[in-house]
């Protein structure tokens, strides 16, 4: 089992560019989430999904889109990158809400 | 608006001492309270979790204490070791599946 795989590990974008952060899990988990981690802010929920075809907004959804066409994949799209989106992004998955989430190793994104 | 408030931001403890990290919440609908541990360059990993129907849960050197009336819960690390040096996050959720995290506590354990 690979667990939760995030790609790329590092990315530099110019303001206004778009990109997709990839997340894949091989544990057949229904629940998947995207978080961003900023110093002093903890982990803030961007979007989450409770199964294929079902997504919902988290605490800080603006500027991000998600879709969940398969159980395994949950990509995060930045529509028009802004310097405020410079952060470390984590994808996580879980069997259910009362089981622990398995986190990926993160994507460090810099927007210049 | 921070739904889960965590303190302190940072903590320095001598080896063998007790590390205590506190969290408070407002939403009484929360019914699952996990703690996560994160080492530099890694994603967070589940450490221990509690439901509000118990006041304490212990796993090895790690204990969660839960006070439902005060809407507070805390993590105690007994006999703290240098290998425990990491960032710790409390979290909470309820039936919407949104897992909300606190702001984190950076723990440093010195030998």
């Amino acid at each position: 089992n690979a667990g939760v795989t995030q790609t790329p590990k590092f990315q530099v974008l110019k303001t206004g560019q778009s990109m997709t952060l990839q997340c894949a899990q091989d544990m057949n988990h229904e629940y998947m989430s995207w978080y961003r981690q900023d110093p002093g802010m903890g982990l803030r929920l961007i979007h989450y999904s409770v199964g294929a075809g079902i997504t919902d907004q988290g605490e800080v959804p603006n500027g991000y889109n998600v879709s969940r066409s398969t159980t395994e994949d949950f990509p995060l799209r930045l529509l028009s990158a802004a310097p405020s989106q410079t952060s470390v992004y984590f994808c996580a998955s879980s069997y259910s809400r009362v089981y622990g989430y398995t986190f990926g190793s993160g994507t460090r994104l810099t927007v210049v | 608006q921070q739904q889960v408030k965590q303190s302190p931001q940072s903590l320095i403890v001598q080896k063998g001492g007790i590390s205590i990290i506190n969290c408070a919440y407002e939403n009484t609908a929360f019914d699952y309270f996990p703690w996560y541990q994160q080492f530099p360059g890694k994603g967070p990993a589940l450490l221990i979790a509690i439901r509000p129907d118990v006041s304490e849960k212990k796993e090895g050197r790690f204990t969660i204490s839960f006070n439902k009336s005060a809407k507070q819960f805390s993590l105690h690390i007994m006999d703290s070791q240098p290998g425990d040096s990491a960032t710790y996050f409390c979290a909470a959720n309820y039936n919407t599946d949104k897992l909300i995290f606190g702001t984190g506590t950076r723990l440093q354990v010195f030998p």
Side-chain angles (χ1 to χ4, degrees), chain B residues 11-59:
Chain B
L11 183 60
I12 299 174
V13 173
Q14 284 264 297
K15 178 182 176 182
I18 303 174
S19 304
I20 302 174
I21 304 170
N22 300 300
C23 284
Y25 63 96
E26 288 297 323
N27 189 342
T28 55
F30 286 143
D31 65 353
Y32 174 65
F33 302 89
W35 285 88
Y36 281 77
Q37 179 187 55
Q38 184 182 30
F39 293 105
K42 305 290 186 182
L46 179 68
L47 187 63
I48 187 173
I50 197 168
R51 302 292 295 268
D53 51 347
V54 297
S55 60
E56 186 175 282
K57 183 174 182 181
K58 185 175 181 179
E59 290 185 2

Side-chain angles (χ1 to χ4, degrees), chain A residues 7 20 30 34 37 40 43 47 49-50 52 64-66 79 82 94 106:
Chain A
T7 56
T20 299
E30 293 293 331
W34 275 102
Q37 184 172 21
L43 291 150
H47 285 286
S49 170
V50 299
Y64 308 94
N65 272 357
V66 293
L79 309 173
S94 178

Side-chain angles (χ1 to χ4, degrees), chain B residues 60-98:
Chain B
R61 297 184 293 108
F62 299 90
T63 300
I64 300 178
S65 297
F66 188 84
N67 186 329
K68 189 173 181 178
S69 61
K71 293 185 287 185
Q72 295 175 346
F73 58 110
S74 59
L75 176 69
H76 295 235
I77 306 174
M78 312 300 287
D79 187 25
S80 299
Q81 299 296 313
D84 297 330
S85 297
T87 299
Y88 292 82
F89 293 95
C90 62
N93 87 342
Y94 58 111
N95 62 6
T96 65
D97 302 295
K98 291 183 183 181

Side-chain angles (χ1 to χ4, degrees), chain A residues 7-84:
Chain A
T7 56
K9 293 192 182 304
F10 302 94
Q11 183 70 48
V12 179
L13 284 180
K14 293 183 178 179
T15 297
Q17 286 185 316
S18 62
M19 80 160 294
T20 299
L21 306 185
Q22 301 291 344
C23 175
Q25 52 92 8
D26 61 357
M27 298 172 284
N28 202 33
H29 286 170
E30 293 293 331
Y31 299 81
M32 296 187 75
S33 298
W34 275 102
Y35 290 89
R36 59 178 289 175
Q37 184 172 21
D38 303 289
M41 303 293 288
L43 291 150
R44 291 183 292 170
L45 181 64
I46 305 171
H47 285 286
Y48 68 103
S49 170
V50 299
I54 306 170
T55 63
D56 204 348
Q57 295 182 350
E59 302 167 277
V60 288
N62 292 342
Y64 308 94
N65 272 357
V66 293
S67 60
R68 184 98 179 267
S69 56
T70 67
T71 299
E72 295 77 20
D73 300 299
F74 191 41
L76 177 72
R77 298 181 186 85
L78 278 69
L79 309 173
S80 177
S84 61

